[in-house]
């Protein structure tokens, strides 16, 4: 609780969350994996959509996402040392502990994980 009272904490948290969002989007695009990334502050969720740019803002759109691709992504991330929520429908939470090195490690793992997703039909 002492840390959140320090000046600049929320600005740094926002910056790291935005960097994660942009890096995930770039990695997915580079791998040719269509995703929609929803983020509010430090909560972020990538959805594996059928076509890049499709919005996910309601239940029907969420359940239309490819949970099998998320599962492949999840396991590849886990194999590369990044622990994510196991369900496509859970948010990731970026915290003040997630510094630039943690964000970089996550994005490095995501590049590998998105490549794994391209290997499934």
């Amino acid at each position: 609780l002492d840390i959140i009272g320090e000046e600049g904490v929320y600005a740094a948290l926002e910056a790291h969350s935005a960097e994660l969002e942009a890096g995930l989007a770039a990695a997915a695009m580079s791998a040719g994996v269509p995703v929609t990334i929803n983020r509010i502050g430090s909560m972020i969720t990538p959805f594996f959509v059928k076509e890049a740019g499709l919005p996910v803002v309601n239940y029907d759109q969420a359940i239309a996402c490819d949970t099998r691709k998320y599962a492949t992504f999840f396991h590849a991330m886990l194999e590369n040392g990044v622990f994510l929520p196991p369900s496509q429908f859970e948010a990731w939470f970026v915290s003040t502990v997630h510094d630039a090195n943690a964000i970089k490690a996550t994005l490095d793992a995501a590049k590998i994980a998105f490549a794994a997703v391209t290997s499934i039909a």
Side-chain angles (χ1 to χ4, degrees), residues 13 15-16 27-28 34 45-46 57-58 62 69 83-84 92 94 96 105-106 120:
L13 186 56
H16 286 146
T45 302
V57 296
N58 62 41
K69 286 183 179 176
F83 298 85
L84 301 175
W92 306 3
V94 181
T96 57
T106 302
I120 65 171

Side-chain angles (χ1 to χ4, degrees), residues 4-97:
I4 64 172
E6 294 176 10
E7 189 166 331
V9 168
Y10 284 103
L13 186 56
E14 174 64 23
H16 286 146
S17 299
E19 180 183 354
L20 179 60
E21 176 185 20
L24 288 169
M29 182 181 287
S30 178
V33 176
V35 297
T36 291
I37 300 172
N38 289 356
R39 181 176 75 87
I40 264 198
S42 63
M43 296 187 316
I44 186 168
T45 302
F47 289 97
F48 288 79
V49 292
K50 292 182 185 349
E51 185 178 310
L54 288 177
V56 180
V57 296
N58 62 41
Y59 176 77
D60 289 335
Q61 292 166 339
I63 63 169
C65 293
D66 194 329
T67 56
R68 197 176 79 159
K69 286 183 179 176
Y70 182 84
T72 299
F73 181 82
F74 166 80
H75 287 288
M77 293 293 280
L78 193 60
E79 289 169 10
N80 286 279
V82 179
F83 298 85
L84 301 175
S87 171
Q88 165 70 88
F89 308 109
E90 296 180 64
W92 306 3
F93 295 91
V94 181
S95 79
T96 57
V97 176

